[in-house]
Amino acid sequence: MERHRDRALPGTDRDAPTAGTGPRIGLAGFFLEADRFAAVTTAAHFAANLDVADAALLAELRAAAPRLLPDKLGFAEAMGASGPWAPVPLRMTLTYPGGPVERAWFDTFIGDVRARMAAAGPLDGVFVCLHGAAATTGEDDPDARFLETLRQAVGPRAPILAVVDRHTNVSARMCAALSGFVAYRTNPHVDLRERGALAARLMRTMLHEGAGEVVLEKLPMLPAGTDQPIAPGTPYHDLMEGAQARVDGVRGGPVLEVSLCDGFPLADCARCGFSVVVTARAGQRAAAEGVAREVAAAVWARRHDFLAPLTPLEVAVSAAVEAAE
Ligand SMILES: [Zn+2]
């Protein structure tokens, strides 16, 4: 995770114009980038950064200087601008990158989310803020367990849309629980607000047409975390341009979004790796699968361009000695 900018946003009309009416949309989130080789993350880390529920979560949404990531703010603003809706705050917790979180804490967190979903009553949809490369001390895919908990509560028809960090290690379980998947495109990550707004547009589409389909193509490659530029001429830029050309949802086509995710190698687990994730309209899974396969083939054809030149140790040491002298 890079540091996220643009947290403070002007205006507080994130549930305008008619809060309290319209579709009831749950707001939830779990955000941890877990390095298997770092010290264990605990409840204290989440408490020190952000861990809010119910009224406190709604207050963050309406605060002049909210601590929420901008994706949630962009989602709320775009929902408010596109018609009535009723935000239903559940629980949102985040912390900065660290080691795997204590399994017992995560089990309690999941139980709490389940209870809050039950208490919230029927929801028309859920918006999720997710890093997507978490781990616990006892499992490799807590992100999937979190999303599955939400899915079990709302049933198969309600759209669940997630905005996800580009460094997510996407799993098939995660995609099966979701109706829409929107990853950041920038690095450092400065487009969260825009991605949240896109998720709101997809939510409106799915509230009208039915929950969408999310298809994953996983590639057996791990771009180095030290070198992921997005400027024109870089492989990521070119491939993203190609992927975006396949998004035809605004013209009435089946494909609503294509996300390219580098992954996070230090999570050191089976779901690590580059992911192509396609979101399609309800009933358009076959179209999404075709696009996912073609975009993944384009990524694979350029896999050698992702090799990052590293500085040999002796050169780095010489440079450090020279600098010191
Ligand atoms: Zn990241």
Side-chain angles (χ1 to χ4, degrees), residues 1-2 4 33 131 165-167 184 187 189:
M1 179 182 77
E2 302 294 332
H4 298 85
E33 182 180 74
H131 184 284
D165 192 289
R166 229 183 91 171
H167 298 113
Y184 317 156
N187 197 34
H189 308 320

Side-chain angles (χ1 to χ4, degrees), residues 64 198-199 271 296 317:
L198 173 63
R271 68 179 171 123
V317 170

Side-chain angles (χ1 to χ4, degrees), residues 197-219:
L198 173 63
R201 293 197 291 277
L202 300 189
M203 180 67 82
R204 288 291 186 193
T205 298
M206 292 183 193
L207 289 170
H208 185 62
E209 299 181 0
E213 312 263 353
V214 178
V215 168
L216 168 66
E217 275 288 326
K218 197 85 184 175
L219 289 156

Side-chain angles (χ1 to χ4, degrees), residues 117-128:
M117 294 292 284
L123 296 174
D124 298 297
V126 181
F127 174 79
V128 184

Side-chain angles (χ1 to χ4, degrees), residues 44-278:
H45 292 98
F46 287 102
N49 285 288
L50 182 72
D51 192 358
V52 288
D54 293 340
L57 172 47
L58 208 54
E60 283 289 337
L61 203 61
R62 293 165 174 166
R67 294 176 297 157
L68 297 168
L69 294 182
D71 55 347
K72 212 156 217 121
L73 308 177
F75 176 83
E77 286 168 352
M79 285 298 291
S82 58
W85 75 301
V88 179
L90 300 163
R91 185 164 171 191
M92 171 74 227
T93 188
L94 70 86
T95 188
Y96 285 105
V101 66
E102 289 171 336
R103 170 72 184 249
W105 177 88
F106 190 72
D107 288 345
T108 304
F109 169 76
I110 289 294
D112 181 70
V113 170
R114 189 176 292 121
R116 290 182 191 283
M117 294 292 284
L123 296 174
D124 298 297
V126 181
F127 174 79
V128 184
C129 167
L130 191 74
H131 184 284
T136 77
T137 50
E139 70 195 303
D140 283 342
D141 199 355
D143 298 298
R145 189 146 67 100
F146 173 52
L147 297 174
E148 287 165 352
T149 301
L150 301 175
R151 175 55 73 199
Q152 283 158 12
V154 299
R157 289 195 180 84
I160 302 178
L161 282 132
V163 170
V164 189
D165 192 289
R166 229 183 91 171
H167 298 113
T168 171
N169 293 315
V170 188
S171 69
R173 281 176 60 195
M174 288 166 63
C175 293
L178 286 169
S179 317
F181 182 106
V182 179
Y184 317 156
R185 287 187 192 150
T186 52
N187 197 34
H189 308 320
V190 294
D191 61 341
L192 276 71
R193 187 179 177 179
E194 294 85 345
R195 303 306 273 164
L198 173 63
R201 293 197 291 277
L202 300 189
M203 180 67 82
R204 288 291 186 193
T205 298
M206 292 183 193
L207 289 170
H208 185 62
E209 299 181 0
E213 312 263 353
V214 178
V215 168
L216 168 66
E217 275 288 326
K218 197 85 184 175
L219 289 156
M221 57 185 268
L222 287 166
T226 52
D227 187 31
Q228 295 174 341
I230 60 168
T234 61
Y236 186 86
H237 179 273
D238 296 350
L239 291 164
M240 181 55 78
E241 295 266 295
Q244 287 315 298
R246 308 305 305 271
V247 177
D248 55 11
V250 290
R251 301 188 297 276
V255 177
L256 299 173
E257 162 66 11
V258 180
S259 287
L260 304 183
C261 304
D262 315 79
F264 182 60
L266 291 173
D268 192 32
C269 61
R271 68 179 171 123
C272 284
F274 198 107
S275 304
V276 176
V277 188
V278 178

